Amino acid sequence: MTVQSVRDALPGAGAGRGATGPPVPVATTPVHRVRAVRPSAALAANRPPATSSSTAAVSSSGAVSSSGMGPSSGMGPSSGMGPSSGMVSSSGMGPSSGMGPSSGAAPGAGAHPGASPAPPRLRAPALADLDAGELHETPGAVLYLSAERVYKRRKPVEASFTEADREAREALCVAEVTLNRRLAPDVYLGVADLHDDAGALVDHVVVMRRMPASRQLSTLVRRGHRVAPMLRAVARALAVFHQRCESAPWIAALGERGAQQELWRQSLAGISAYRGSQLDAAVVDDIGLLARRYLAGRGELLAERTRAGWIRDGHGDLLAEDIFCLDDGPRILDCVEFDPRLRSGDVLGDVASLAMDLERLGAAEEAAEFLEAYREFSGEVHPASLQHYYVAYRACTQAMLACVHGHGDPDAPERARRLLAVAHRHLRAGRVRLVVVGGMPGTGKTTLASRLAEVGDGWVLLRSDILRQELVGEPPATSASATAAGAGGAGGEQAGFGVGRYAPQVTDATYTEMLRRARAALCRGESVVLDASWSSAHHRRAVAELAAQVCAELVELHCVTTPEVAAARIARRLAADSDPSEATVTIHRAMAARADPWPSATVVRTAVTVAEALKTVLNHLD
């Protein structure tokens, strides 16, 4: 299914029907007064730990869900909350709408680059009435609950309620509702003024529709429900959402290598204080090494992502506790509203955030299926290594937050270690590798290289025999039986070694082209398997230089077997006449006599079955 066919599928959004409307008004009071902390700490400060009771669950957004509040309670699109009722449509949010900032600088914290209608201004009950009802308190807000509504009041940063502080909180309320209505317009109902008993304005609250606790995605996963169909619906909704998300020059810059390196620097600096105490020092160090190595060689990949338009103003912090799987589709809540720089980035980072959280909850298989569903619905193409990279980054950031803000929480250290293990596992899986598989004819190198590429995560296979054919054309026609009959002789085959199609200049050109193609794939984040004899130390030095230049992990495998096994394999291949290799037993002997020593390679003995040889190699790669 293409994105075009699901373009208007956001539940409750009335997608595709509304006009863009006037720009969102942003308060002139500096919103940064509300979160006067480093961006990474600000993200944590706005994500209080969830609390729960037998009847309600509080997501990190402050959206409190109560049991028994399913779609039949009037919470779905059928409740009359579509565009005609003043609910915001998420249409008109695409890059072509000209809604991004015209300058290259990022807007202030809480600002939204898109032009959406201002959220409705609603009436809230009196403060005394709210205080008399059910309350939940988080580090950042007080939540007042009724049967169908949640009123979220932000806590002041300063000790006293100043006018400037109140205006700043109002701006954040407006931003929270406006931004979250892109995905859940029938949940984020509007902003209301809060008055005291005398009727004086004292504050502002976000008004939300209360969600059913039993339909919270994190709850469903923990209880072992089959969530795969629900995750496909989430992937579909996110694909539609991301297609409409805005971009701008300052947003696109967040996908560049320098910006990514700074994000990792901040995250690793945050966990450095816990290295060796809560967190394994060796794991922390290896994560830093792997992340830096990946970014160092992937500048071209990140530039391609930027050119393709995948760096957008998205959600920013997608977790399972902020998704509610209703009968009429998912409701995705709690995007980052206080700093657009933390909300913006590669769309793959958004979906990787949820995949990371699913894996943390023990649903690794479902996480992988979710990522594949997003690829299907969005039409977005990326190497597997980039997917691993973003899952690892999100896991590392969450591990840092668990350490920094987990004081007093006995589960925080173990949660941080689990998250760090997720990050480490994905960075290792996402290593970009250049695997050189060499050996004499008949040693099984081509079979091993092909199987290795098959079991690899989308690895590219390049064969010197095929490239040689592309460079100089097909070999002269000869019968398989005649070739096989002369396989052991010293006549034509010996004369053919080192001349014609196998002349040194042709061989050099073949290796040069193989390395050129390998470089392009490696820079795009693809691992590559190179199948050739690699009998020349000169060619091996060239491949080692390439690996160093693109920061790829070089793996050298030297296939060896007994002369009898090699001869039998060569005879079978020539008789079948189905392989581009023209090597005979005589050529095998001539090449072996002239081959340079290869002390840096791992020897793979291939007289065993292919499965056994492959297992040995995979163990070595781990």
Side-chain angles (χ1 to χ4, degrees), residues 352-387:
S353 179
L354 179 55
M356 172 275 301
D357 201 37
L358 290 169
E359 190 167 339
R360 178 187 66 84
L361 292 169
E365 183 176 341
E366 289 82 356
E369 292 174 354
F370 162 70
L371 288 168
E372 188 57 37
Y374 178 81
R375 187 196 292 263
E376 172 190 342
F377 288 124
S378 67
E380 186 264 351
V381 178
H382 59 266
S385 68
L386 189 66
Q387 184 171 294

Side-chain angles (χ1 to χ4, degrees), residues 76 85 187 217 307 559:
S85 64
V187 175
L217 178 57
R307 289 192 297 269
C559 296

Side-chain angles (χ1 to χ4, degrees), residues 60 131 297 302 318 330 454 555 600 613:
S60 56
D131 283 334
L302 298 177
L318 192 63
E454 288 174 3
V555 180
S600 59

Side-chain angles (χ1 to χ4, degrees), residues 31-106:
V31 179
H32 69 267
R33 286 167 48 85
V34 179
R35 297 291 180 204
V37 289
R38 197 173 61 193
S40 58
L43 180 58
N46 206 55
R47 175 161 294 289
T51 61
S52 63
S53 69
S54 59
T55 59
V58 184
S59 80
S60 56
S61 65
V64 180
S65 54
S66 64
S67 59
M69 296 294 291
S72 61
S73 63
M75 300 171 58
S78 61
S79 60
M81 299 303 291
S84 60
S85 64
M87 298 305 293
V88 178
S89 168
S90 59
S91 63
M93 297 293 289
S96 61
S97 62
M99 293 158 59
S102 57
S103 67

Side-chain angles (χ1 to χ4, degrees), residues 8-13 69-81 183 186-187 209 211-212 215 230 233-234 236-237 324-331:
D8 301 321
L10 289 180
M69 296 294 291
S72 61
S73 63
M75 300 171 58
S78 61
S79 60
M81 299 303 291
L183 275 164
D186 61 345
V187 175
R209 192 176 296 275
M211 291 284 98
R215 308 302 289 273
M230 305 173 197
V234 172
R236 185 171 181 260
F324 292 84
C325 302
L326 307 185
D327 289 345
D328 60 345
R331 300 301 190 271

Side-chain angles (χ1 to χ4, degrees), residues 410-430:
D411 297 328
E414 178 58 28
R415 185 166 65 250
R417 285 189 287 270
R418 287 201 308 270
L419 287 163
L420 203 69
V422 171
H424 195 211
R425 183 164 58 252
H426 279 277
L427 282 174
R428 286 184 58 80

Side-chain angles (χ1 to χ4, degrees), residues 60-227:
S60 56
S61 65
V64 180
S65 54
S66 64
S67 59
M69 296 294 291
S72 61
S73 63
M75 300 171 58
S78 61
S79 60
M81 299 303 291
S84 60
S85 64
M87 298 305 293
V88 178
S89 168
S90 59
S91 63
M93 297 293 289
S96 61
S97 62
M99 293 158 59
S102 57
S103 67
H112 175 46
S116 298
R121 303 298 294 214
L122 306 175
R123 292 181 61 86
L127 180 57
D129 294 336
L130 292 177
D131 283 334
E134 183 181 353
L135 300 181
H136 282 270
E137 186 171 354
T138 75
V142 176
L143 310 175
Y144 304 94
L145 282 65
S146 69
E148 295 184 354
R149 296 287 185 270
V150 176
Y151 300 91
K152 177 180 177 180
R153 182 185 185 186
R154 294 175 178 272
K155 293 181 179 179
V157 172
E158 300 175 355
S160 60
F161 282 82
T162 65
E163 185 67 13
D165 193 33
R166 181 191 60 76
E167 292 176 356
R169 292 196 305 280
E170 180 183 18
L172 280 175
C173 288
V174 170
E176 180 176 354
V177 173
T178 301
L179 291 163
N180 281 292
R181 290 181 74 156
R182 297 178 298 167
L183 275 164
D186 61 345
V187 175
Y188 288 84
L189 303 181
V191 177
D193 299 331
L194 193 60
H195 298 85
D196 61 17
D197 293 341
L201 177 64
V202 294
D203 213 344
H204 310 274
V205 293
V206 170
V207 184
M208 302 174 67
R209 192 176 296 275
R210 195 168 177 177
M211 291 284 98
S214 62
R215 308 302 289 273
Q216 194 172 27
L217 178 57
S218 56
T219 299
L220 294 171
V221 172
R222 287 191 181 100
R223 293 177 178 175
H225 287 268
R226 184 172 176 269
V227 296

